[in-house]
Amino acid sequence: MTPESRYRQLLGAVRRLVPCDAAALLRLLPEERGEVLQPVAVDGLAEEALGRRFPAAAHPRLARLLASGNGLRFSADMGLPDPYDGLLADQQTLEAVHDCMGAPLRHEGRIWGLLTLDALDPHAFDAIGPAQLAAAVQMLEVGIAAEETIVQLAQRARQEALARDWRSGGAPRELLGRSTAMNRLRQEIDTVAASDLTVLILGETGVGKELVAERLHARSTRRDRPLVQINCAALPETLADSELFGHKRGAFTGAIADRIGKFELADGGTLLLDEVGELPLPVQAKLLRVLQSGDVQRPGSDRVQRVDVRVLAATNRDLTQEVAKGRFRADLYHRLSVYPLQVPPLRERGRDILALAGGFLEENQHRLGARNLRLSPAASQALLAHDWPGNVRELEHLISRAALRALAEAGKGGRWVAIEPAHLGLPDGGAHGIAHGGSGGASMAPGMATPGPRRVDERLAASSAASPDEAAEVPTGTDAAGFDGSGLREATERFQREWIAAAIARHGGAMAAAARDAGMDRSNFLRLARRLGVPGC
């Protein structure tokens, strides 16, 4: 059972003791710009709340609860904004929270966080006295003490500092989500992190392979040393030696000063070889020698330097197929894949999508100066229905666009800004939103049209991408606009299938060239073509 599951069980017990529509357990965390409250478990709130972070200074109700001593109840007519407005689960409308109470939680004499209780009925807590609230607080503080002991024992056993990111003053993104696939991935990371084994991180474009590498480094014994990253896809063969191993002044034309390579920069720490599947074969041979011996020799120098580097490699390619086709060295593959980690695509992570969306909304909320950005129920359903070929990166960009559109439409004056399916701009979002009672319709609101044609791997086809001859060919059974009664998803997939088949034929069957036309890497292009049933793939 995960810590979140244990905390949620405690919240369930609290709701039985104090009947309410929603309860949340928030952990107080220090940050460079002030204290932040991070939800660690929610019961009755939308799942996106788990991806939120609430700066205490920006939320006066939470700040007053922290300073309240034994807790307090807010009057229904209080004008202070509520951080959970629009976030209660199973709401048909984004109704405001009307009755709120809560209390600070302590551990070892210090404030650990907050318990918050919320209800839509303004008289829900009329019968709740100080004794019931105190009993709920005591129950949670006992559970928190037990959980903290479990964490401390795990830290001692694995030599991990789980709170390192906060103490260092930074707040890098975490691997959000509680799906089975993500829990399994985090467990695998924690298993291998403390070792010095080489790890090969596998996964489609945009799944978060860099975050996996960061977590591996942060939980390793090398966490106080640098994590150095190099993008192998942007590494020309002529400059590979200089980038990886450095060079001495005068080693070649243009070498006007000594240069330290990435292996030396990462000495004592971790080196991430991102997109390692893109390395040219001659560079692979040079890399293999260093991995085998641990010795680096700068071009132009006679001195050999030993480096102590833990190597992580990441790729979206199937390296076993690349080895079979002679495009990747088998010996280098086996050297890198000592401990492979497969990062699941977003479509296999279920409702993690909503927690991730909540985190991205929080980021956009601060960046845009918006008060409260919320997903409408229809928008949440549209996100869950999409298959996310671009994975987490696609979700991040989509939420950024949707936040900007919704804010431009609603302005900054309201208590919150609702993101509707029309703001998301998903090809199947409008139709799905109608089926679930969303307000967005099958078409986007005025001014919400997607700006310009997008790449095929984003699944948004623009008719302007077709040539005049292709546009003139209307399939039998369709009207002049191309409609044949099928849904938008089917029409989009048909367009993609025909476009990809035409691109492959145009390039004489050369997949790499057709993928370049589509703006995709070859492996994702081939995967999409096979899924769509393109002949010959």
Side-chain angles (χ1 to χ4, degrees), residues 123-143:
H123 302 292
F125 300 142
D126 286 352
I128 305 300
Q132 282 174 276
L133 182 59
V137 168
Q138 184 178 9
M139 181 195 310
L140 285 173
E141 288 179 343
V142 170

Side-chain angles (χ1 to χ4, degrees), residues 177-187 344 348-350 352:
R178 53 181 179 173
S179 63
T180 301
M182 287 306 294
N183 287 336
R184 187 184 304 117
L185 175 62
R186 279 190 288 264
Q187 184 178 6
E348 295 178 4
R349 293 176 56 182
D352 285 356

Side-chain angles (χ1 to χ4, degrees), residues 33-51:
R33 291 172 293 180
E35 293 178 323
V36 170
L37 286 157
Q38 171 81 51
V40 295
V42 298
D43 192 5
L45 288 177
E47 291 177 68
E48 65 171 283
L50 286 170

Side-chain angles (χ1 to χ4, degrees), residues 427-442:
D428 52 356
H432 193 90
I434 287 178
H436 288 266
S439 62

Side-chain angles (χ1 to χ4, degrees), residues 1-16 23-25 27 40-43 50 105 112 115 136 139-155 158 162 178 183 190:
M1 185 180 291
T2 64
E4 182 192 338
S5 300
R6 290 190 284 267
Y7 284 138
R8 183 159 182 169
Q9 282 188 348
L10 285 171
L11 285 179
V14 168
R15 288 185 69 183
R16 289 190 291 272
L25 187 61
R27 180 76 183 266
V40 295
V42 298
D43 192 5
L50 286 170
L105 303 169
W112 181 93
L115 164 67
M139 181 195 310
L140 285 173
E141 288 179 343
V142 170
I144 289 168
E147 186 61 39
E148 290 295 317
T149 301
I150 293 172
V151 171
Q152 290 169 9
L153 290 173
Q155 286 175 326
R158 300 176 185 175
L162 298 180
R178 53 181 179 173
N183 287 336
D190 294 346

Side-chain angles (χ1 to χ4, degrees), residues 261-278:
K262 294 296 192 291
F263 271 93
E264 288 184 63
L265 285 173
D267 192 19
T270 306
L271 177 64
L272 171 61
L273 301 171
D274 197 13
E275 302 296 349
V276 71
E278 309 298 325

Side-chain angles (χ1 to χ4, degrees), residues 133-421:
L133 182 59
V137 168
Q138 184 178 9
M139 181 195 310
L140 285 173
E141 288 179 343
V142 170
I144 289 168
E147 186 61 39
E148 290 295 317
T149 301
I150 293 172
V151 171
Q152 290 169 9
L153 290 173
Q155 286 175 326
R156 197 172 300 124
R158 300 176 185 175
Q159 299 181 340
E160 293 177 346
L162 298 180
R164 168 184 171 274
D165 290 338
W166 302 106
R167 289 198 301 268
S168 65
R173 286 178 174 171
E174 284 289 335
L175 289 169
L176 291 177
R178 53 181 179 173
S179 63
T180 301
M182 287 306 294
N183 287 336
R184 187 184 304 117
L185 175 62
R186 279 190 288 264
Q187 184 178 6
E188 289 281 357
I189 291 172
D190 294 346
T191 297
V192 73
S195 74
D196 271 343
L197 294 181
T198 303
V199 178
L200 179 60
I201 306 169
L202 303 164
E204 298 174 10
T205 297
V207 293
K209 295 187 288 295
E210 286 185 33
L211 289 183
V212 172
E214 289 172 5
R215 185 180 176 104
L216 281 165
H217 177 72
R219 301 193 169 210
S220 74
T221 56
R222 300 172 180 263
R223 55 184 169 269
D224 295 323
R225 302 294 296 170
L227 169 63
V228 178
Q229 178 178 344
I230 184 167
N231 184 1
C232 299
L235 194 62
E237 184 179 339
T238 53
L239 297 179
D241 282 356
S242 179
E243 288 292 324
L244 289 169
F245 316 124
H247 62 248
K248 292 290 288 182
R249 177 181 177 183
F252 52 84
T253 302
I256 59 176
D258 289 356
R259 177 186 176 92
I260 297 177
K262 294 296 192 291
F263 271 93
E264 288 184 63
L265 285 173
D267 192 19
T270 306
L271 177 64
L272 171 61
L273 301 171
D274 197 13
E275 302 296 349
V276 71
E278 309 298 325
L279 279 176
L281 283 168
V283 180
Q284 294 177 29
K286 297 173 183 177
L287 175 61
L288 178 63
R289 284 197 297 271
V290 177
L291 295 178
Q292 288 172 334
S293 66
D295 294 333
V296 173
Q297 184 175 4
R298 294 189 195 177
S301 172
D302 295 328
R303 186 172 70 91
V304 175
Q305 178 176 343
R306 175 153 310 254
V307 292
D308 174 25
V309 175
R310 192 216 187 145
V311 174
L312 309 176
T315 182
N316 59 12
R317 289 182 178 270
D318 184 340
L319 292 187
T320 57
Q321 288 191 10
E322 296 297 299
V323 170
K325 295 176 181 177
R327 292 195 289 258
F328 201 86
R329 293 179 62 106
D331 44 8
L332 179 58
Y333 168 70
H334 292 297
R335 177 69 63 171
L336 293 174
S337 62
V338 177
Y339 200 106
L341 283 178
Q342 185 73 44
V343 185
L346 188 55
R347 63 182 173 274
E348 295 178 4
R349 293 176 56 182
R351 301 183 73 85
D352 285 356
I353 293 168
L354 299 182
L356 289 164
F360 294 141
L361 281 175
E362 191 72 23
E363 292 177 7
N364 282 278
Q365 186 170 289
H366 294 303
R367 183 162 55 240
L368 298 174
R371 190 160 190 173
N372 285 310
L373 292 172
R374 300 287 188 259
L375 289 172
S376 72
S380 296
Q381 290 299 323
L383 292 179
L384 291 171
H386 191 50
D387 60 359
W388 302 107
N391 291 294
V392 180
R393 186 178 299 126
E394 180 187 359
L395 174 63
E396 178 184 8
H397 295 168
L398 181 142
I399 292 294
S400 297
R401 293 192 298 269
L404 196 60
R405 291 166 178 164
L407 190 60
E409 185 179 275
K412 300 181 181 181
R415 294 185 68 177
W416 63 76
V417 176
I419 305 251
E420 299 289 350

